[in-house]
Amino acid sequence: MGKNQADQEPHVSGQANKPLSQPPHALPHPVVTQELRANADDGLTQQEAKSRLDEYGRNELDDGPGVQPVKILVRQVANAMMLVLIMAMAVSFGISSYIEGGVIAAVIILNIIVGFFQEFNAEKTMDSLRSLSSPTAVAVRDGNTITIPTAEIVPGDIVELKTGDTVPADIRLVEAMNFETDEALLTGESLPVGKETETTFDADIGAGDRLNVAFSSSTVTKGRARGVVFATGMKTEIGTIAAALRATGKRTRPVKRKPDGSAKPHRYAQAWGLTAGDFVGTFLGINVGTPLQRKLSKLAILLFGVAVVCAIIVLAANRFSNDKEVIIYAVATGLSMIPACLIVVLTITMAAGTKRMVQRHVIVRRLDSLEALGAVTDICSDKTGTLTQGKMVAKRAWIPCVGTYAVGTSNDPVDPTQGDLTHTEEPPTAIQVESENKDEKGGVTYEELLEDNDPLKDYLNVASLANLAHVHKSEDGWKARGDPTEIAIQVFVSRFNWNRERLRKEESWSQVAEFPFDSDVKKMSVIFANKATSTNMVFSKGAVERIIGSCNLVRLEKGAELTEMTEDFRSTILQNMEALAAQGLRVLALASKEYKGATGGDDSSYDRAAIESDLTFQGLIGLYDPPRVESAGAVKQCHQAGITVHMLTGDHPGTAKAIAAQVGIIPARDEAVARDVADAMVTTASAFDKLSDDDIDKLPVLPLVIARCSPNTKVRMIEALHRRKCFAAMTGDGVNDSPSLKRADVGIAMGQAGSDVAKDASDIVLTDDNFASILNAIEEGRRMFDNIQKFVLHLLAENIAQACTLLIGLAFKDTSSQSVFPLAPVEILWVIMITSGMPDMGLGVEIAAPDIMARPPQSLKKGIFTLEIVVDILVYGVWMACLCLASFSIVMFGFGDGNLGSGCNTRYSEECDTVFRARATTFVCLTWFALFLAWEMVNMRRSFFRMQPKSKRYFTQWMYDVWRNQFLFWAVIAGFVTIFPTLYIPVVNHVIFKHTGISWEWGIIVVEAILFFGGVESWKWAKRVYFRRIAKKTGQADLEAMVFSRYLNSDSVWSEGEGQVDEKKVG
């Protein structure tokens, strides 16, 4: 709807979707909020937002026609595989083999129809997934801060912006702190533009001078802001130039020119040659798509070469006869090696896989990552919000001269009225933490705690004002918005009625400057002016080591003067921090000082280093972020799958170690860890960064936990893993995580807490920010890789079987020394058409094998063609060919008289009856084997009759297995059913298929089917025995002992039966 409005009504630059009294940049922000019928505190209700979405349309630029059926249809016709079929059809008609030519034409039409509809559905799926992976926005709805797709933003929404975000719509700023945006895309201005909120501008001023507006598609380079949306979709400023943004790139290679613009003739020839090469490569599929798609396209070209060789062999065996039956048989033999449906099935499998991933909270941004996921050997994960719930609660606060405050249990982390406050004069190092119930006994009111307690008030000033979170009570309960850490601290101070909003309104505090958290300095600071005392104060919070390094004063006794902080007292602070961290708490330090410098001007005019020095230490606060319930299980599954999990966090080593032990990243019993690897297992970024690359490579193992992690540390960790030949996935959410996300083999961004810059650098996005979803993605990646191996194995084994049957069958010579074909050309084409495409599509959507997460990671170097797959292709193909040739020989020479007659390739006669019966038997056998093989490939190692090892249905489980995948079931059943019309309908059997109806030969077919199953089941059994022996050699120790074997002392209790773990898996 929004797009239609954009087309129908002329839009005034700077105006809202529904014009206001003046353009928003010319109105004060309260007036804009009022005219848009918005609520600056609680935002729109969900119901109102839905109503406005219906009214104004989705917040999207008109980005073209989307899925185009005509282009999809052209792709079905204009590709290398279809070209081969068309050439075969032309040859057939050229030699007057109209029946064979007609059948090939039917195969072409069927392939085009099936391919078109399947790829059309796949394109629609991918198109919908692209919209899911588009940028998100943080909006306030019903008083809650939520993350929603940018397309769902509507006029009147209150939107919050931070560094790294892409502005989702045109926004009139309501609140801005040190806020700058990059508007180069819109205005061409190369430098970021600083924004403000209170100034208004002339209605007709240019877009670049509207400093109170953040424009859609611009990027936040600095600071934070809140604002109200006034224009969306094509009504935004960027919408007016959308046509220019949609310009497509040239498909021709540019001509290399001299500095003066001239070019020699050979440069034109070079450009034309490269363009032609690009076109041919695209046509053949070898320079487009994912690496696997390109690899399979090259395989198809190789098989085309093999097909040509097979056709030549057929002609040579018949002395290059110009008999049309020989020629058409040669063509059919060649076609039997062409996997016409290979690329289509791959595309459909990947599309179905990405759709399934969305249901498991994973959005795939780059299809390449689908192939990479199954090969991941190491996961480098953040802690907060990924391994933990991200729902922080302040549990402890320590003030040196007062003691320790504790908060009891609470069912609602944002309700400051829940949970009792208790106080003890003991520091954390002297407190024995037993149970939360003990904390709740003797709860006191905040008024009692605040009475005659200036140190507590000073502490609360820092906690409340060096904080950007907003906690307030609305009609339906307490609401909070902001960073989870700051929300937890703001809820804590609200327990004392020391809320930031109350201090600003009632206590005369006003913000002067803000220095946002920086991952390098690990601090954030603000300057506030107190109008009542006419003083300016600096309030800082951050990592304990960084804060105490900036402090030189502390109050050691209540009512006493400030004293100089000594190294001994710094050690005392660190001991108390360790005590809190050992409880799994994330610990921050708070500090302040009076600021006597000049104020005013932009935040960049202040010397941050000077402002954050010579501070007074106020105390510590401990925040608890409980691990997600599913994290421990997910980490255990990673270990079972041969994947090592590393935690890279900004938290204190004690906190990180406690959480890592809880979820199983490090051994629960650290007394068994060898001393020389203990330092490498849990370390700090500062220690890790001091090591050279050579030093890191000499470490016995790479760290499982790195605390106080910086963005550069993450990059070095990825590089270290690469040097150890590991395949790494990395999670990230901030702007500074982009380098490590790009450097990782699989970059994983957080969908809720992640910045748009991080998402843009990532390969996949987790919509729930949950570590367990990474495991889901890896399982889905392995499942798809598995399924691709299954249908490629099925397809190529069938090709081998056909080629061997057809080529060895050339040895059957009639009385005129002409080869008697064991399969007629139309039979070959029928087998290709019926037993390849649909069953392979069914294999592509097969569920994961029960043991898929109990295998080691796949090797991308080997790809899908592992030694096991190659041997399987040969074994199954040769076994099927042997049985087919045996069936022909038994009917022809065992029960028949062995008379191959004359002219039996072209017509039916009494003399050729036995040949036609033998041919029909071979045809049914090959068809059945190909269809049965599809079911056998559901699990490449487990028996067809026992695919679910834990099932109690010992004799009937196979029935449930074949019915579960109904697409594959009906594809196989269709193959069975369609055999009978070809055998028994007159004219169709004798004239077209060159075989005849059979009777007692069904007994041979049934016996051969049993032999087929027996051979395949025997081969699978042999493989299971072999792999069990391999597993036995590598040990079957307790999982924790096996995973951490290289971390354990040789004389520890765990060394008994310890397994051998691949160095790269652990490192």
Side-chain angles (χ1 to χ4, degrees):
M1 182 181 294
K3 295 177 184 179
N4 293 337
Q5 288 177 357
D7 294 337
Q8 295 168 3
E9 302 172 9
H11 179 63
V12 178
S13 176
Q15 259 293 8
N17 284 44
K18 184 178 289 184
L20 308 183
S21 58
Q22 289 191 72
H25 60 266
L27 297 172
H29 62 76
V31 176
V32 176
T33 303
Q34 182 181 359
E35 291 192 16
L36 288 168
R37 294 179 290 113
N39 185 318
D41 289 325
D42 292 338
L44 300 176
T45 64
Q46 291 288 5
Q47 184 177 357
E48 176 64 18
K50 185 179 184 303
S51 173
R52 296 192 185 196
L53 188 63
D54 293 337
E55 179 182 357
Y56 297 113
R58 291 172 66 81
N59 177 32
E60 297 172 327
L61 298 179
D62 184 5
D63 55 357
V67 179
Q68 296 178 280
V70 175
K71 284 190 175 182
I72 295 174
L73 183 61
V74 170
R75 281 204 299 270
Q76 300 308 309
V77 178
N79 64 71
M81 295 298 101
M82 197 57 63
L83 182 62
V84 172
L85 288 173
I86 292 171
M87 290 168 59
M89 181 183 68
V91 170
S92 302
F93 285 127
I95 61 174
S96 302
S97 293
Y98 299 113
I99 292 175
E100 288 79 4
V103 172
I104 296 175
V107 172
I108 291 172
I109 293 170
L110 184 65
N111 268 336
I112 290 174
I113 292 173
V114 172
F116 171 79
F117 284 108
Q118 293 289 352
E119 192 166 338
F120 179 72
N121 290 330
E123 284 282 339
K124 286 205 300 185
T125 299
M126 295 306 297
D127 194 55
S128 65
L129 295 180
R130 277 190 286 272
S131 66
L132 286 177
S133 64
S134 63
T136 54
V138 177
V140 180
R141 298 263 178 95
D142 289 319
N144 297 314
T145 303
I146 61 173
T147 301
I148 61 174
T150 296
E152 295 179 13
I153 290 291
V154 296
D157 260 326
I158 301 299
V159 172
E160 297 186 350
L161 301 168
K162 64 182 185 302
T163 303
D165 286 351
T166 298
V167 180
D170 284 358
I171 296 171
R172 174 61 166 93
L173 298 175
V174 172
E175 175 185 324
M177 185 54 60
N178 201 22
F179 186 69
E180 295 181 0
T181 62
D182 181 358
E183 299 175 356
L185 184 65
L186 182 69
T187 65
E189 176 60 51
S190 59
L191 297 176
V193 179
K195 298 292 183 177
E196 52 191 80
T197 60
E198 303 304 323
T199 309
T200 58
F201 302 93
D202 293 339
D204 58 353
I205 197 170
D209 295 320
R210 298 171 195 163
L211 302 183
N212 54 13
V213 171
F215 294 105
S216 175
S217 299
S218 60
T219 305
V220 181
T221 59
K222 187 178 180 182
R224 62 178 178 86
R226 293 177 70 237
V228 59
V229 174
F230 66 85
T232 60
M234 296 300 287
K235 295 293 181 76
T236 60
E237 204 65 28
I238 199 70
T240 62
I241 58 172
L245 296 179
R246 292 197 305 269
T248 57
K250 289 184 177 181
R251 296 195 177 188
T252 57
R253 292 289 191 104
V255 177
K256 290 185 178 181
R257 301 181 181 275
K258 296 179 180 179
D260 61 1
S262 63
K264 292 184 177 180
H266 75 277
R267 291 298 185 187
Y268 288 95
Q270 180 189 47
W272 295 335
L274 290 173
T275 302
D278 290 342
F279 174 78
V280 172
T282 302
F283 182 78
L284 296 176
I286 59 175
N287 61 4
V288 292
T290 69
L292 183 57
Q293 287 172 327
R294 294 195 293 269
K295 188 177 292 185
L296 290 182
S297 293
K298 291 175 182 177
L299 171 66
I301 294 171
L302 174 64
L303 291 176
F304 173 68
V306 174
V308 172
V309 172
C310 290
I312 292 172
I313 292 173
V314 171
L315 294 173
N318 289 276
R319 301 171 186 173
F320 292 96
S321 169
N322 60 359
D323 185 286
K324 69 177 184 179
E325 289 302 320
V326 174
I327 295 173
I328 199 64
Y329 187 79
V331 170
T333 303
L335 288 181
S336 70
M337 293 301 298
I338 301 297
C341 61
L342 184 62
I343 304 302
V344 173
V345 174
L346 178 63
T347 302
I348 294 165
T349 301
M350 297 182 104
T354 53
K355 187 175 182 180
R356 184 180 168 92
M357 281 192 177
V358 172
Q359 298 168 355
R360 304 189 73 180
H361 311 294
V362 179
I363 296 173
V364 178
R365 297 188 69 254
R366 295 182 176 88
L367 281 177
D368 295 25
S369 63
L370 289 178
E371 303 154 30
L373 283 167
V376 169
T377 62
D378 292 75
I379 300 174
C380 299
S381 174
D382 192 10
K383 177 185 77 69
T384 305
T386 306
L387 288 163
T388 61
Q389 297 179 19
K391 297 177 180 177
M392 293 195 176
V393 179
K395 302 293 288 183
R396 300 282 186 274
W398 174 60
I399 303 173
C401 62
V402 176
T404 304
Y405 297 87
V407 178
T409 56
S410 168
N411 294 324
D412 186 352
V414 300
D415 186 350
T417 63
Q418 292 190 20
D420 288 341
L421 285 167
T422 58
H423 172 250
T424 175
E425 294 183 357
E426 300 292 338
T429 51
I431 299 174
Q432 287 289 337
V433 180
E434 294 177 4
S435 68
E436 293 292 344
N437 291 333
K438 182 176 180 180
D439 288 340
E440 292 182 5
K441 294 177 182 178
V444 293
T445 65
Y446 74 84
E447 291 92 349
E448 295 177 88
L449 295 174
L450 285 170
E451 186 177 352
D452 192 28
N453 197 342
D454 288 337
L456 175 58
K457 294 176 182 178
D458 291 341
Y459 177 95
L460 294 175
N461 280 339
V462 182
S464 179
L465 297 175
N467 193 315
L468 309 180
H470 184 72
V471 176
H472 68 285
K473 188 175 184 179
S474 62
E475 295 178 357
D476 56 343
W478 285 87
K479 306 290 183 183
R481 63 173 186 266
D483 177 79
T485 301
E486 297 197 328
I487 288 175
I489 298 174
Q490 197 64 242
V491 170
F492 176 76
V493 299
S494 297
R495 297 179 186 278
F496 296 86
N497 193 28
W498 220 261
N499 187 286
R500 172 187 172 96
E501 296 304 311
R502 188 188 74 79
L503 293 183
R504 295 182 66 174
K505 293 176 181 177
E506 300 177 15
E507 300 292 332
S508 303
W509 287 100
S510 62
Q511 187 165 326
V512 175
E514 177 185 315
F515 307 96
F517 177 83
D518 185 281
S519 55
D520 292 324
V521 300
K522 297 191 182 300
K523 288 180 284 191
M524 76 84 64
S525 302
V526 292
I527 301 177
F528 265 81
N530 188 326
K531 296 178 183 176
T533 60
S534 300
T535 58
N536 296 322
M537 296 294 297
V538 173
F539 299 127
S540 292
K541 76 169 186 296
V544 178
E545 300 93 330
R546 299 298 180 92
I547 290 291
I548 63 175
S550 301
C551 292
N552 64 350
L553 295 173
V554 64
R555 195 183 306 278
L556 297 178
E557 294 182 11
K558 192 174 180 180
E561 294 295 320
L562 295 173
T563 60
E564 187 172 342
M565 182 181 289
T566 62
E567 289 302 319
D568 287 343
F569 191 74
R570 284 192 174 91
S571 298
T572 300
I573 295 173
L574 292 175
Q575 290 168 10
N576 282 284
M577 176 191 67
E578 296 283 357
L580 293 173
Q583 302 169 32
L585 302 183
R586 181 185 184 189
V587 187
L588 299 177
L590 308 178
S592 63
K593 74 173 182 180
E594 183 177 352
Y595 178 68
K596 297 183 179 179
T599 58
D602 187 78
D603 292 350
S604 59
S605 62
Y606 294 91
D607 183 352
R608 178 169 184 171
I611 287 171
E612 293 179 335
S613 63
D614 300 329
L615 300 172
T616 298
F617 179 75
Q618 298 294 349
L620 304 177
I621 188 164
L623 309 166
Y624 184 59
D625 182 14
R628 291 181 184 266
V629 177
E630 59 271 29
S631 289
V635 170
K636 184 177 181 181
Q637 279 187 280
C638 284
H639 291 158
Q640 290 172 332
I643 300 169
T644 302
V645 182
H646 306 262
M647 178 196 289
L648 277 61
T649 177
D651 280 345
H652 179 268
T655 308
K657 185 177 180 180
I659 297 296
Q662 288 180 39
V663 299
I665 290 177
I666 60 175
R669 300 176 57 186
D670 57 2
E671 68 272 10
V673 177
R675 184 173 296 178
D676 65 327
V677 296
D679 294 336
M681 185 163 38
V682 180
T683 188
T684 61
S686 58
F688 187 78
D689 290 341
K690 288 177 182 176
L691 299 175
S692 66
D693 289 348
D694 289 339
D695 292 335
I696 292 174
D697 293 341
K698 290 176 184 176
L699 291 175
V701 288
L702 286 176
L704 292 177
V705 178
I706 300 182
R708 297 299 191 216
C709 196
S710 67
N712 184 58
T713 309
K714 292 184 176 183
V715 173
R716 294 198 69 201
M717 183 66 172
I718 290 293
E719 291 174 343
L721 286 167
H722 285 167
R723 289 196 298 274
R724 297 190 183 211
K725 308 302 180 186
C726 297
F727 205 81
M730 170 69 77
T731 68
D733 53 14
V735 179
N736 291 336
D737 290 332
S738 298
S740 59
L741 290 175
K742 287 184 177 179
R743 201 73 61 90
D745 299 293
V746 180
I748 305 171
M750 302 296 110
Q752 296 177 356
S755 67
D756 288 335
V757 173
K759 292 175 190 175
D760 189 56
S762 69
D763 299 299
I764 65 174
V765 177
L766 305 183
T767 57
D768 61 351
D769 292 10
N770 192 336
F771 179 83
S773 294
I774 302 176
L775 197 69
N776 293 341
I778 291 174
E779 181 181 347
E780 284 300 314
R782 290 190 178 191
R783 183 189 69 84
M784 271 186 287
F785 196 91
D786 228 19
N787 288 350
I788 291 167
Q789 282 187 319
K790 290 173 186 175
F791 71 68
V792 169
L793 170 54
H794 175 256
L795 201 61
L796 297 185
E798 191 179 335
N799 286 357
I800 293 288
Q802 290 179 49
C804 290
T805 302
L806 298 173
L807 294 177
I808 296 173
L810 293 171
F812 299 123
K813 301 280 187 175
D814 62 11
T815 55
S816 61
S817 297
Q818 186 102 356
S819 293
V820 176
F821 309 140
L823 287 170
V826 174
E827 287 179 323
I828 299 167
L829 296 170
W830 185 263
V831 171
I832 294 171
M833 183 169 63
I834 294 300
T835 65
S836 295
M838 301 307 286
D840 288 333
M841 290 178 192
L843 286 172
V845 296
E846 184 61 40
I847 65 169
D851 64 342
I852 199 163
M853 293 303 288
R855 308 175 196 164
Q858 294 141 352
S859 169
L860 281 188
K861 186 176 181 180
K862 295 178 181 176
I864 59 174
F865 294 103
T866 61
L867 180 60
E868 179 185 357
I869 294 296
V870 172
V871 174
D872 281 354
I873 290 171
L874 294 174
V875 169
Y876 295 142
V878 171
W879 180 235
M880 290 165 67
C882 288
L883 291 175
C884 287
L885 290 168
S887 67
F888 186 87
S889 299
I890 290 170
V891 174
M892 196 70 234
F893 304 105
F895 293 93
D897 57 8
N899 181 16
L900 293 168
S902 178
C904 294
N905 291 330
T906 59
R907 65 186 182 278
Y908 176 79
S909 65
E910 284 296 323
E911 185 184 20
C912 294
D913 183 71
T914 307
V915 173
F916 271 52
R917 284 179 172 275
R919 192 176 285 149
T921 306
T922 306
F923 168 65
V924 175
C925 283
L926 181 59
T927 304
W928 277 26
F929 297 161
L931 295 172
F932 283 140
L933 185 64
W935 268 336
E936 283 281 4
M937 289 303 96
V938 168
N939 193 304
M940 292 183 288
R941 290 184 186 172
R942 299 204 64 83
S943 168
F944 168 73
F945 304 99
R946 194 69 182 150
M947 291 189 190
Q948 307 299 325
K950 296 181 181 179
S951 172
K952 301 297 182 184
R953 304 186 186 99
Y954 297 105
F955 302 105
T956 59
Q957 180 59 46
W958 66 273
M959 299 180 185
Y960 292 90
D961 289 331
V962 299
W963 178 247
R964 185 191 63 246
N965 186 341
Q966 293 192 25
F967 191 103
L968 178 59
F969 176 82
W970 290 113
V972 172
I973 294 300
F976 281 122
V977 171
T978 53
I979 287 175
F980 296 97
T982 69
L983 289 175
Y984 298 109
I985 295 178
V987 180
V988 171
N989 54 6
H990 289 176
V991 177
I992 297 176
F993 282 86
K994 303 294 191 297
H995 61 211
T996 191
I998 55 176
S999 53
W1000 57 268
E1001 291 87 353
W1002 283 107
I1004 295 175
I1005 293 169
V1006 170
V1007 171
E1008 294 235 345
I1010 294 171
L1011 289 173
F1012 170 78
F1013 270 114
V1016 174
E1017 290 293 322
S1018 298
W1019 177 250
K1020 284 186 172 184
W1021 173 80
K1023 288 205 299 180
R1024 290 196 297 275
V1025 170
Y1026 171 76
F1027 286 112
R1028 274 200 296 268
R1029 289 180 177 175
I1030 294 296
K1032 192 174 181 180
K1033 288 181 181 179
T1034 58
Q1036 297 292 332
D1038 171 73
L1039 179 64
E1040 189 173 49
M1042 182 176 68
V1043 170
F1044 301 116
S1045 60
R1046 293 186 63 239
Y1047 293 86
L1048 307 179
N1049 285 320
S1050 58
D1051 58 349
S1052 72
V1053 294
W1054 285 353
S1055 63
E1056 188 175 347
E1058 149 183 313
Q1060 299 173 12
V1061 180
D1062 188 350
E1063 178 175 340
K1064 78 173 185 178
K1065 300 293 188 298
V1066 178

